[in-house]
């Protein structure tokens, strides 16, 4: 009887141990799932916190441009073989489309040159592929001088981190210290986005026109967080009237973004 009792107690103990082990394994699995869910919520929280911080920086821009729809994005890759482009972590699922302007609170960065569902490629203002209508403003006075042209660059200027406001006439009143902003011509970029500051006024090598050498406000080689303007009033509208005339003459038009 004693031997049987001992055997039965041992069996009961083994069953209890097995049950406890199963219970511990189940509880451990539940805890792991809870931890994973909390980690996911934490990632979402920090993503939302980061996006809110970015949006706060652009609050003034949004207040002055109620028609702007903005999407916050971060740079996630740079191609060393394509120095003037980078990849951001927002794509068509977030409303980003090809030709959308890309900016920071300091000024123009570039434009979306390709996009998929989760990411997009940005071609910057230092790319020879980028052209945009620009106008000069008297430095610190927020007053347009009336001098407009096309902002573009070439490989030599881009290596110096510079662009130029071209097609200025001999009667230009633009001068060093003036600010260059987007003119809105061509409907790729909205008006009055800051581009840079004029360094000097130079003569074109092959014709009689002048150009302003411009230092961009944004260092596009170092930028980490940007805003994509996915919608604004007049976006994508065809040129009409005087703008069509300018486009045909090759001055003051945006032949490409």
């Amino acid at each position: 009887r004693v031997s049987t009792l001992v055997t039965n107690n041992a069996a009961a103990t083994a069953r209890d141990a097995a049950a406890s082990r199963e219970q511990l394994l189940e509880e451990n699995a539940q805890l792991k799932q809870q931890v994973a869910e909390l980690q996911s919520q934490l990632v979402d929280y920090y993503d939302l916190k980061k996006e809110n911080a970015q949006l706060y920086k652009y609050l003034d821009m949004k207040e002055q441009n109620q028609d702007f729809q903005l999407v916050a994005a971060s740079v996630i890759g740079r191609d060393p073989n394509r120095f003037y482009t980078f990849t951001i972590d927002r794509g068509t699922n977030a409303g980003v489309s090809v030709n959308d302007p890309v900016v920071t609170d300091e000024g123009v960065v570039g434009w979306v040159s390709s996009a998929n569902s989760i990411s997009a490629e940005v071609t910057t203002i230092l790319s020879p592929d980028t052209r945009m209508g620009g106008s000069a403003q008297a430095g610190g006075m927020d007053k347009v001088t009336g001098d407009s042209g096309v902002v573009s660059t070439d490989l030599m200027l881009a290596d110096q981190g510079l662009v130029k406001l071209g097609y200025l006439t001999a009667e230009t009143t633009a001068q060093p210290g003036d600010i260059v902003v987007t003119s809105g011509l061509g409907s790729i970029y909205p008006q009055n986005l800051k581009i840079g500051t004029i360094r000097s006024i130079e003569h074109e090598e092959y014709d009689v026109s002048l150009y302003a050498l411009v230092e961009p406000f944004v260092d596009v080689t170092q930028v980490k967080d940007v805003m994509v303007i996915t919608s604004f009033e007049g976006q994508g509208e065809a040129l009409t009237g005087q703008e069509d005339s300018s486009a045909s003459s090759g001055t003051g038009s945006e032949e490409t973004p």
Side-chain angles (χ1 to χ4, degrees):
R1 290 180 179 178
V2 173
S3 176
T4 302
L5 183 59
V6 170
T7 301
N8 289 339
N9 287 340
T13 301
R15 286 195 299 271
D16 291 343
S20 296
R21 183 174 182 276
E22 290 295 327
Q23 183 177 0
L24 287 173
L25 288 174
E26 182 179 351
E27 290 177 352
N28 187 49
Q30 291 175 349
L31 287 171
K32 285 183 176 179
Q33 182 177 355
Q34 291 176 10
V35 169
E37 291 174 353
L38 288 172
Q39 287 176 333
S40 178
Q41 292 174 14
L42 191 61
V43 169
D44 290 342
Y45 166 76
Y46 281 118
D47 283 346
L48 183 60
K49 183 178 179 181
K50 179 180 178 181
E51 185 168 355
N52 284 341
Q54 289 176 296
L55 287 168
Y56 183 78
K57 289 171 59 178
Y58 294 84
L59 184 59
D60 184 59
M61 179 188 294
K62 179 65 175 176
E63 287 180 345
Q64 294 183 33
N65 303 275
Q66 297 291 327
D67 56 310
F68 282 13
Q69 295 297 318
L70 302 172
V71 171
S74 296
V75 177
I76 57 174
R78 297 181 189 275
D79 186 345
N81 297 318
R82 301 179 66 191
F83 182 68
Y84 308 120
T85 65
F86 56 76
T87 302
I88 57 175
D89 62 349
R90 292 290 186 270
T92 55
N93 287 347
V96 174
S97 303
V98 172
N99 288 339
D100 283 348
V102 180
V103 300
T104 73
D105 57 326
E106 297 178 326
V108 177
V109 173
W111 52 287
V112 175
S113 48
S114 66
N116 58 40
S117 60
I118 59 173
S119 65
E121 184 175 90
V122 176
T123 296
T124 75
I125 59 175
L126 291 185
S127 169
D129 292 331
T130 300
R131 294 166 65 86
M132 69 185 82
S135 298
Q137 292 183 336
M141 295 175 60
D142 294 330
K143 182 179 180 182
V144 176
T145 66
D147 295 294
S148 297
V150 177
V151 176
S152 63
T153 191
D154 56 37
L155 293 178
M156 290 184 62
L157 288 177
D159 283 342
Q160 303 173 60
L162 301 173
V163 298
K164 69 177 184 177
L165 176 64
Y167 302 109
L168 300 179
T169 67
E171 292 75 30
T172 181
T173 57
Q175 59 185 337
D178 286 355
I179 292 173
V180 176
V181 300
T182 54
S183 66
L185 193 61
S187 72
I188 297 296
Y189 299 86
Q191 288 183 322
N192 296 324
L193 297 178
K194 295 181 292 184
I195 298 173
T197 304
I198 294 178
R199 271 193 178 185
S200 61
I201 304 297
E202 309 287 345
H203 287 273
E204 289 284 5
E205 185 175 357
Y206 299 110
D207 59 49
V208 297
S209 66
L210 304 176
Y211 68 89
L213 201 58
V214 179
E215 182 176 2
F217 287 120
V218 182
D219 183 351
V220 298
T221 66
Q222 300 298 321
V223 68
K224 295 180 180 179
D225 298 308
V226 298
M227 278 284 172
V228 182
I229 305 176
T230 59
S231 178
F232 61 91
E233 187 176 347
Q235 184 179 29
E237 292 181 0
L239 299 178
T240 58
Q242 183 177 354
E243 293 178 351
D244 278 331
S245 176
S246 296
S248 64
S249 66
T251 60
S253 65
E254 291 178 88
E255 296 178 4
T256 66

